[in-house]
Each structure stands twice: as structure tokens, then as C-alpha cells.
Amino acid sequence: EILVMAASPSADVMAQLEQYFHCHHLWQQPRERQEAWLAGVAPAVRGVLTTGAIGIKADLLARLPKVEIVAVNGIGTDAVDLDATRARGIAVTNTPGVLTDDVADLALTLLLSAARRLPALDAFVRDGSWEAGKPIATARALRGKVCGVFGFGRIGQAIAARAEAFGMRIQYFQPRAIEGVKAPRAESLLALAQSSDYLVVAAPGGPATHHVVNADVLAALGPQGTLVNIARGSLVDEAALIVALRERTLGCAALDVFADEPRVPAALRALGNVVLTPHVASLTVETRHAMGQLVVDNLRAHFAGQPLLTPVK
Ligand code: 8YV
């Protein structure tokens, strides 16, 4: 009995879920009926399939007396109350490794789009400005510029490798130094922002990183600086970001994640010095199938009494 909070884009994964489990699809219920529907299925639920964006908090877990496992279709587990799962011995799994390349690719897509002002150039052609002979602003080359990566795990290091291929110089920061990497570690996030032209946020979300990219960090990145975020909106003080972008004390922001998805503040959407995408870093056919397959394999392993493939410690 699996409570499915959201569908996988992979039809093959959804077919496997139906083949191996009795699934209860919350995402198919009309919002106004979900509470009553959940009350009816909750007593039998032994597993939950969720995503990195849907909260699995203590109040929901308390309604699931038989739940044994929460399988996250994503790498970020900040939406899961891990204290509550650990207290009840509920296993948690996620999908590390299979989404690294696509997330890093989107980070560079956002960085390049910001560097070369892609949205503005696209509009320039579409609205006839080019034809009208209007002047085209000059961009700054990437080569030789500093790409500061905040969070230097698999995704952060994949982003750095890509940025290096574009001739960028790499620095990183995270609380724990990484052995064996050639990129220098800044002494703090503020120091990283001060020495970066592009600051890429690739650190985990959660209470420990809430609003760590604050007004001081944004000011340190500066009017020629660009912030790229493919991690979680919670790491950035979004109100301070809007002020910095509007007042041009920060040059540009290229964002795939936001504080209150899918709601993005009108003030942010109205700005010309931003590039915005709707949390799609892992959204490719290949990666979403691989993520979903990991979810299915973890659930099958659990209920077969075998070791989990990708347990969250
Ligand atoms: C989303 C992500 O979670 O992997 C993550 O943590 O942010 C994305 O892949 C998406 O909702 C995956 O289900």
C-alpha cells in the first residue's frame, strides 16, 4: 500500500509502481477532497512516494500508523521531517547520482543565459528592435571570470567542471573542506561572494542553510555579479534579492528555484536582470526515468527485506 504524492513523468515507472504495489494516488484527487480521501487510505499505507518539493512532516507521518519507508523522487530531502522519520525508524531514500549531470547542465545554461543576456536578446529580435537598428548591449566574456560554487558535492563539482571548460576560474565554499580537489576553498560564503563574478548555489536546503545568501552576501557579489541558484529557494533571502536586483547593487540572478513554488513574486518576475526557470533542473526524460527507477527499486528492496539502494542516513 503506497501513498503516491506526485506522479513520475516516466510512464514506465508509473506502470512498474502499479505492477508491484497497491498505489493510492493523492495527486489524482481534487484538492478539496484530498483530506477526506487521505483519512480513508492512511491506516493501510506502508510506504510514501514523494518528491523533493512536497513536505512530509510529522503531522502527516502521525496519520500513517503503518508507514515504513518514505521514498523521495529527488535528491533534496529538506521537505522531509527526518527527525520524525528517525524517531519512528521509518526508512528514507532519495535519488543521488542519477540527476547530477542534468542539474549541472541547467546551472551552466542559466549562467550562460545570464552572462550573454539571452532573454533580452531573444526579445530584441522578436520585438523588431534589431530590425529597427536599435543598439545591442555588449556582454562580458566568461573566460577568466571567477565561478564561486557554494556547496561542493557531486552537483557542485560537476558545475565546476563545466564552468572550467568555459575558461572560468573556480573557487568553492562549504563548511567542510573537500580533500583532493584543486579548486581553492574560500574561508566563508561572504568571502566566496566577494571574490566571485558568478556565485552558484548548489548546497542542500533546510534549517542550516535558510537565507544564508542574505543581503550582505548579495552586496559582496556586487553590481557586476550574478547569482545562480539550482538548489533550493530557501537558501536565498528572496526579498533582499529583489531589492538588490531592483537597485542594481546585484547585477543579475538566474534562478531555477524559489521560496514559495510555484508562486514567484511579481516584483521578481517584472525585473529585466533575471533569468527564470520553473524548477526543471532534473526534468529530462532520461533522468526522470532513472530517478523513478531508483524509487521503485528502493521500495521493492525494502518490502523484500533487502538492503536499500540509496538510503538517507
Ligand atoms: C525535484 C529536485 O525534487 O531532486 C531534487 O531535489 O529538486 C528535483 O528533482 C523534483 O520535484 C523531483 O521530483
Tab-separated table of all heavy atoms in Angstrom, residues 144-189:
chain	number	residue	atom	x	y	z
A	144	GLY	N	38.184	33.507	-17.794
A	144	GLY	CA	38.945	34.305	-16.830
A	144	GLY	C	38.118	34.796	-15.663
A	144	GLY	O	38.650	35.215	-14.635
A	145	LYS	N	36.793	34.698	-15.770
A	145	LYS	CA	35.957	35.153	-14.664
A	145	LYS	C	35.923	34.062	-13.591
A	145	LYS	O	36.149	32.881	-13.852
A	145	LYS	CB	34.532	35.431	-15.152
A	145	LYS	CG	34.401	36.497	-16.227
A	145	LYS	CD	34.935	37.842	-15.796
A	145	LYS	CE	34.651	38.919	-16.827
A	145	LYS	NZ	35.297	38.653	-18.124
A	146	VAL	N	35.590	34.445	-12.361
A	146	VAL	CA	35.571	33.515	-11.230
A	146	VAL	C	34.160	32.975	-11.023
A	146	VAL	O	33.201	33.741	-10.892
A	146	VAL	CB	36.068	34.183	-9.949
A	146	VAL	CG1	35.943	33.220	-8.756
A	146	VAL	CG2	37.517	34.635	-10.118
A	147	CYS	N	34.071	31.647	-11.028
A	147	CYS	CA	32.817	30.956	-10.698
A	147	CYS	C	32.954	30.411	-9.293
A	147	CYS	O	33.740	29.491	-9.042
A	147	CYS	CB	32.563	29.818	-11.685
A	147	CYS	SG	31.076	28.867	-11.320
A	148	GLY	N	32.219	31.012	-8.347
A	148	GLY	CA	32.226	30.547	-6.959
A	148	GLY	C	31.081	29.583	-6.746
A	148	GLY	O	29.931	29.919	-7.039
A	149	VAL	N	31.385	28.373	-6.278
A	149	VAL	CA	30.358	27.349	-6.092
A	149	VAL	C	30.125	27.143	-4.596
A	149	VAL	O	31.047	26.775	-3.857
A	149	VAL	CB	30.770	26.019	-6.757
A	149	VAL	CG1	29.646	24.978	-6.620
A	149	VAL	CG2	31.095	26.243	-8.238
A	150	PHE	N	28.904	27.403	-4.161
A	150	PHE	CA	28.545	27.205	-2.742
A	150	PHE	C	27.881	25.839	-2.623
A	150	PHE	O	26.777	25.633	-3.107
A	150	PHE	CB	27.608	28.321	-2.279
A	150	PHE	CG	27.048	28.093	-0.896
A	150	PHE	CD1	27.851	27.618	0.147
A	150	PHE	CD2	25.705	28.342	-0.619
A	150	PHE	CE1	27.339	27.394	1.420
A	150	PHE	CE2	25.179	28.133	0.645
A	150	PHE	CZ	26.000	27.660	1.659
A	151	GLY	N	28.597	24.910	-1.988
A	151	GLY	CA	28.138	23.523	-1.915
A	151	GLY	C	28.911	22.714	-2.941
A	151	GLY	O	28.650	22.844	-4.125
A	152	PHE	N	29.887	21.915	-2.486
A	152	PHE	CA	30.823	21.283	-3.438
A	152	PHE	C	30.723	19.775	-3.367
A	152	PHE	O	31.712	19.064	-3.292
A	152	PHE	CB	32.258	21.757	-3.154
A	152	PHE	CG	33.078	21.947	-4.422
A	152	PHE	CD1	32.626	22.753	-5.453
A	152	PHE	CD2	34.312	21.330	-4.566
A	152	PHE	CE1	33.379	22.950	-6.602
A	152	PHE	CE2	35.082	21.520	-5.720
A	152	PHE	CZ	34.609	22.323	-6.732
A	153	GLY	N	29.496	19.305	-3.418
A	153	GLY	CA	29.261	17.868	-3.519
A	153	GLY	C	29.286	17.438	-4.968
A	153	GLY	O	29.895	18.119	-5.814
A	154	ARG	N	28.595	16.343	-5.303
A	154	ARG	CA	28.643	15.853	-6.689
A	154	ARG	C	28.161	16.914	-7.666
A	154	ARG	O	28.781	17.174	-8.699
A	154	ARG	CB	27.766	14.601	-6.819
A	154	ARG	CG	28.489	13.315	-6.500
A	154	ARG	CD	27.575	12.132	-6.644
A	154	ARG	NE	26.677	12.005	-5.514
A	154	ARG	CZ	26.250	10.823	-5.050
A	154	ARG	NH1	26.597	9.715	-5.662
A	154	ARG	NH2	25.454	10.750	-4.008
A	155	ILE	N	27.045	17.548	-7.337
A	155	ILE	CA	26.478	18.528	-8.264
A	155	ILE	C	27.393	19.756	-8.354
A	155	ILE	O	27.720	20.232	-9.449
A	155	ILE	CB	25.047	18.904	-7.854
A	155	ILE	CG1	24.120	17.701	-8.048
A	155	ILE	CG2	24.549	20.113	-8.641
A	155	ILE	CD1	22.705	17.903	-7.535
A	156	GLY	N	27.848	20.266	-7.213
A	156	GLY	CA	28.732	21.421	-7.215
A	156	GLY	C	29.991	21.177	-8.014
A	156	GLY	O	30.427	22.028	-8.799
A	157	GLN	N	30.579	19.989	-7.866
A	157	GLN	CA	31.816	19.688	-8.587
A	157	GLN	C	31.547	19.486	-10.085
A	157	GLN	O	32.368	19.854	-10.924
A	157	GLN	CB	32.481	18.449	-7.991
A	157	GLN	CG	33.025	18.715	-6.578
A	157	GLN	CD	33.745	17.521	-5.972
A	157	GLN	OE1	34.529	16.852	-6.629
A	157	GLN	NE2	33.454	17.243	-4.714
A	158	ALA	N	30.376	18.966	-10.431
A	158	ALA	CA	30.022	18.836	-11.858
A	158	ALA	C	29.820	20.207	-12.488
A	158	ALA	O	30.179	20.433	-13.645
A	158	ALA	CB	28.760	17.967	-11.995
A	159	ILE	N	29.247	21.131	-11.723
A	159	ILE	CA	29.091	22.509	-12.204
A	159	ILE	C	30.476	23.125	-12.423
A	159	ILE	O	30.740	23.744	-13.464
A	159	ILE	CB	28.268	23.335	-11.204
A	159	ILE	CG1	26.807	22.864	-11.190
A	159	ILE	CG2	28.346	24.827	-11.532
A	159	ILE	CD1	25.990	23.382	-10.022
A	160	ALA	N	31.370	22.915	-11.481
A	160	ALA	CA	32.720	23.488	-11.583
A	160	ALA	C	33.440	22.956	-12.821
A	160	ALA	O	34.071	23.716	-13.561
A	160	ALA	CB	33.512	23.151	-10.317
A	161	ALA	N	33.293	21.654	-13.089
A	161	ALA	CA	33.974	21.068	-14.268
A	161	ALA	C	33.467	21.717	-15.553
A	161	ALA	O	34.227	22.006	-16.479
A	161	ALA	CB	33.733	19.553	-14.293
A	162	ARG	N	32.163	21.954	-15.607
A	162	ARG	CA	31.587	22.606	-16.783
A	162	ARG	C	32.064	24.048	-16.916
A	162	ARG	O	32.399	24.530	-17.992
A	162	ARG	CB	30.062	22.505	-16.736
A	162	ARG	CG	29.527	21.118	-17.052
A	162	ARG	CD	28.148	20.877	-16.471
A	162	ARG	NE	27.589	19.592	-16.926
A	162	ARG	CZ	27.922	18.411	-16.434
A	162	ARG	NH1	28.852	18.347	-15.482
A	162	ARG	NH2	27.364	17.302	-16.877
A	163	ALA	N	32.074	24.753	-15.801
A	163	ALA	CA	32.496	26.161	-15.829
A	163	ALA	C	33.972	26.261	-16.262
A	163	ALA	O	34.345	27.151	-17.036
A	163	ALA	CB	32.296	26.791	-14.458
A	164	GLU	N	34.777	25.322	-15.774
A	164	GLU	CA	36.199	25.320	-16.178
A	164	GLU	C	36.344	25.144	-17.685
A	164	GLU	O	37.210	25.745	-18.314
A	164	GLU	CB	36.949	24.174	-15.476
A	164	GLU	CG	37.546	24.577	-14.132
A	164	GLU	CD	38.463	23.496	-13.565
A	164	GLU	OE1	38.051	22.320	-13.542
A	164	GLU	OE2	39.595	23.851	-13.168
A	165	ALA	N	35.458	24.336	-18.268
A	165	ALA	CA	35.511	24.099	-19.723
A	165	ALA	C	35.246	25.394	-20.493
A	165	ALA	O	35.652	25.526	-21.653
A	165	ALA	CB	34.505	23.028	-20.122
A	166	PHE	N	34.599	26.357	-19.819
A	166	PHE	CA	34.356	27.667	-20.444
A	166	PHE	C	35.438	28.673	-20.062
A	166	PHE	O	35.280	29.881	-20.246
A	166	PHE	CB	32.975	28.194	-20.034
A	166	PHE	CG	31.833	27.523	-20.769
A	166	PHE	CD1	31.231	26.392	-20.240
A	166	PHE	CD2	31.384	28.004	-21.995
A	166	PHE	CE1	30.192	25.753	-20.902
A	166	PHE	CE2	30.347	27.378	-22.665
A	166	PHE	CZ	29.745	26.257	-22.122
A	167	GLY	N	36.537	28.173	-19.483
A	167	GLY	CA	37.663	29.055	-19.183
A	167	GLY	C	37.527	29.824	-17.889
A	167	GLY	O	38.280	30.756	-17.617
A	168	MET	N	36.557	29.412	-17.045
A	168	MET	CA	36.347	30.134	-15.780
A	168	MET	C	37.290	29.599	-14.708
A	168	MET	O	37.748	28.459	-14.772
A	168	MET	CB	34.881	29.995	-15.323
A	168	MET	CG	33.882	30.546	-16.315
A	168	MET	SD	32.194	30.542	-15.666
A	168	MET	CE	32.238	32.066	-14.677
A	169	ARG	N	37.603	30.469	-13.745
A	169	ARG	CA	38.401	30.057	-12.593
A	169	ARG	C	37.436	29.677	-11.461
A	169	ARG	O	36.434	30.353	-11.269
A	169	ARG	CB	39.330	31.204	-12.170
A	169	ARG	CG	40.418	31.483	-13.226
A	169	ARG	CD	41.343	32.607	-12.764
A	169	ARG	NE	40.668	33.911	-12.825
A	169	ARG	CZ	40.697	34.804	-11.843
A	169	ARG	NH1	41.325	34.533	-10.701
A	169	ARG	NH2	40.064	35.971	-11.970
A	170	ILE	N	37.763	28.593	-10.722
A	170	ILE	CA	36.813	28.033	-9.758
A	170	ILE	C	37.279	28.287	-8.328
A	170	ILE	O	38.466	28.120	-8.020
A	170	ILE	CB	36.646	26.513	-9.965
A	170	ILE	CG1	36.319	26.185	-11.425
A	170	ILE	CG2	35.557	25.953	-9.021
A	170	ILE	CD1	35.034	26.785	-11.947
A	171	GLN	N	36.326	28.677	-7.499
A	171	GLN	CA	36.504	28.660	-6.049
A	171	GLN	C	35.259	28.001	-5.464
A	171	GLN	O	34.225	27.934	-6.136
A	171	GLN	CB	36.641	30.090	-5.489
A	171	GLN	CG	37.894	30.809	-5.927
A	171	GLN	CD	38.064	32.121	-5.165
A	171	GLN	OE1	37.324	32.419	-4.230
A	171	GLN	NE2	39.045	32.909	-5.572
A	172	TYR	N	35.358	27.534	-4.243
A	172	TYR	CA	34.149	26.965	-3.616
A	172	TYR	C	34.110	27.313	-2.134
A	172	TYR	O	35.140	27.685	-1.543
A	172	TYR	CB	34.073	25.444	-3.815
A	172	TYR	CG	34.931	24.614	-2.870
A	172	TYR	CD1	34.417	24.062	-1.699
A	172	TYR	CD2	36.269	24.363	-3.179
A	172	TYR	CE1	35.198	23.310	-0.841
A	172	TYR	CE2	37.075	23.608	-2.320
A	172	TYR	CZ	36.538	23.076	-1.166
A	172	TYR	OH	37.340	22.331	-0.315
A	173	PHE	N	32.923	27.150	-1.588
A	173	PHE	CA	32.825	27.167	-0.136
A	173	PHE	C	31.749	26.183	0.295
A	173	PHE	O	30.703	26.064	-0.344
A	173	PHE	CB	32.464	28.550	0.428
A	173	PHE	CG	32.240	28.466	1.928
A	173	PHE	CD1	33.311	28.284	2.788
A	173	PHE	CD2	30.940	28.491	2.467
A	173	PHE	CE1	33.122	28.149	4.168
A	173	PHE	CE2	30.743	28.356	3.832
A	173	PHE	CZ	31.839	28.186	4.681
A	174	GLN	N	32.020	25.502	1.369
A	174	GLN	CA	31.060	24.746	2.155
A	174	GLN	C	31.722	24.550	3.509
A	174	GLN	O	32.964	24.669	3.610
A	174	GLN	CB	30.698	23.409	1.518
A	174	GLN	CG	31.830	22.426	1.365
A	174	GLN	CD	31.339	21.084	0.833
A	174	GLN	OE1	30.428	20.996	0.017
A	174	GLN	NE2	31.964	20.022	1.316
A	175	PRO	N	30.966	24.249	4.557
A	175	PRO	CA	31.582	24.172	5.885
A	175	PRO	C	32.746	23.184	5.960
A	175	PRO	O	33.766	23.454	6.592
A	175	PRO	CB	30.427	23.747	6.784
A	175	PRO	CG	29.207	24.255	6.092
A	175	PRO	CD	29.493	24.108	4.625
A	176	ARG	N	32.595	22.038	5.245
A	176	ARG	CA	33.654	21.007	5.323
A	176	ARG	C	34.558	21.096	4.088
A	176	ARG	O	34.043	21.061	2.954
A	176	ARG	CB	33.016	19.615	5.404
A	176	ARG	CG	33.986	18.446	5.496
A	176	ARG	CD	33.227	17.126	5.697
A	176	ARG	NE	32.258	16.927	4.614
A	176	ARG	CZ	32.567	16.402	3.424
A	176	ARG	NH1	33.807	16.079	3.177
A	176	ARG	NH2	31.642	16.244	2.479
A	177	ALA	N	35.842	21.183	4.278
A	177	ALA	CA	36.774	21.211	3.138
A	177	ALA	C	36.758	19.850	2.444
A	177	ALA	O	36.592	18.814	3.082
A	177	ALA	CB	38.180	21.525	3.622
A	178	ILE	N	36.915	19.887	1.100
A	178	ILE	CA	36.909	18.646	0.318
A	178	ILE	C	38.361	18.286	-0.016
A	178	ILE	O	39.082	19.105	-0.591
A	178	ILE	CB	36.120	18.824	-1.006
A	178	ILE	CG1	34.709	19.302	-0.712
A	178	ILE	CG2	36.130	17.527	-1.818
A	178	ILE	CD1	33.706	18.229	-0.374
A	179	GLU	N	38.773	17.114	0.381
A	179	GLU	CA	40.139	16.669	0.071
A	179	GLU	C	40.252	16.322	-1.416
A	179	GLU	O	39.287	15.812	-2.021
A	179	GLU	CB	40.489	15.411	0.898
A	179	GLU	CG	40.469	15.629	2.423
A	179	GLU	CD	41.476	16.689	2.856
A	179	GLU	OE1	42.576	16.742	2.293
A	179	GLU	OE2	41.111	17.500	3.742
A	180	GLY	N	41.423	16.630	-1.990
A	180	GLY	CA	41.716	16.130	-3.329
A	180	GLY	C	41.132	16.934	-4.479
A	180	GLY	O	41.187	16.511	-5.629
A	181	VAL	N	40.545	18.103	-4.183
A	181	VAL	CA	40.061	18.949	-5.283
A	181	VAL	C	41.054	20.109	-5.469
A	181	VAL	O	41.626	20.604	-4.498
A	181	VAL	CB	38.642	19.505	-5.027
A	181	VAL	CG1	37.630	18.369	-4.918
A	181	VAL	CG2	38.577	20.389	-3.778
A	182	LYS	N	41.248	20.531	-6.723
A	182	LYS	CA	42.254	21.579	-6.947
A	182	LYS	C	41.683	22.975	-6.734
A	182	LYS	O	42.413	23.943	-6.486
A	182	LYS	CB	42.879	21.466	-8.347
A	182	LYS	CG	41.974	21.647	-9.530
A	182	LYS	CD	42.803	21.541	-10.824
A	182	LYS	CE	41.954	21.884	-12.061
A	182	LYS	NZ	40.934	20.865	-12.337
A	183	ALA	N	40.383	23.104	-6.765
A	183	ALA	CA	39.802	24.437	-6.557
A	183	ALA	C	40.050	24.896	-5.123
A	183	ALA	O	39.866	24.115	-4.169
A	183	ALA	CB	38.299	24.381	-6.833
A	184	PRO	N	40.444	26.157	-4.931
A	184	PRO	CA	40.654	26.673	-3.579
A	184	PRO	C	39.327	26.857	-2.848
A	184	PRO	O	38.298	27.133	-3.479
A	184	PRO	CB	41.343	28.009	-3.809
A	184	PRO	CG	40.953	28.418	-5.186
A	184	PRO	CD	40.750	27.155	-5.966
A	185	ARG	N	39.361	26.639	-1.518
A	185	ARG	CA	38.175	26.837	-0.684
A	185	ARG	C	38.247	28.203	-0.031
A	185	ARG	O	39.232	28.555	0.615
A	185	ARG	CB	38.115	25.755	0.403
A	185	ARG	CG	36.974	25.903	1.394
A	185	ARG	CD	36.915	24.720	2.357
A	185	ARG	NE	35.910	24.898	3.411
A	185	ARG	CZ	36.196	25.357	4.630
A	185	ARG	NH1	37.454	25.711	4.931
A	185	ARG	NH2	35.255	25.481	5.541
A	186	ALA	N	37.187	28.992	-0.241
A	186	ALA	CA	37.119	30.308	0.402
A	186	ALA	C	36.888	30.109	1.902
A	186	ALA	O	36.398	29.071	2.336
A	186	ALA	CB	35.987	31.127	-0.201
A	187	GLU	N	37.205	31.118	2.684
A	187	GLU	CA	37.076	30.955	4.143
A	187	GLU	C	35.643	31.098	4.634
A	187	GLU	O	35.309	30.741	5.757
A	187	GLU	CB	37.977	31.971	4.854
A	187	GLU	CG	37.608	33.433	4.580
A	187	GLU	CD	38.601	34.414	5.192
A	187	GLU	OE1	39.807	34.042	5.271
A	187	GLU	OE2	38.178	35.516	5.586
A	188	SER	N	34.792	31.653	3.768
A	188	SER	CA	33.376	31.806	4.155
A	188	SER	C	32.548	32.019	2.887
A	188	SER	O	33.098	32.283	1.808
A	188	SER	CB	33.222	33.017	5.082
A	188	SER	OG	33.488	34.209	4.324
A	189	LEU	N	31.222	31.948	3.041
A	189	LEU	CA	30.345	32.236	1.899
A	189	LEU	C	30.503	33.697	1.506
A	189	LEU	O	30.540	34.041	0.318
A	189	LEU	CB	28.896	31.909	2.261
A	189	LEU	CG	27.826	32.289	1.243
A	189	LEU	CD1	28.093	31.636	-0.112
A	189	LEU	CD2	26.445	31.890	1.764
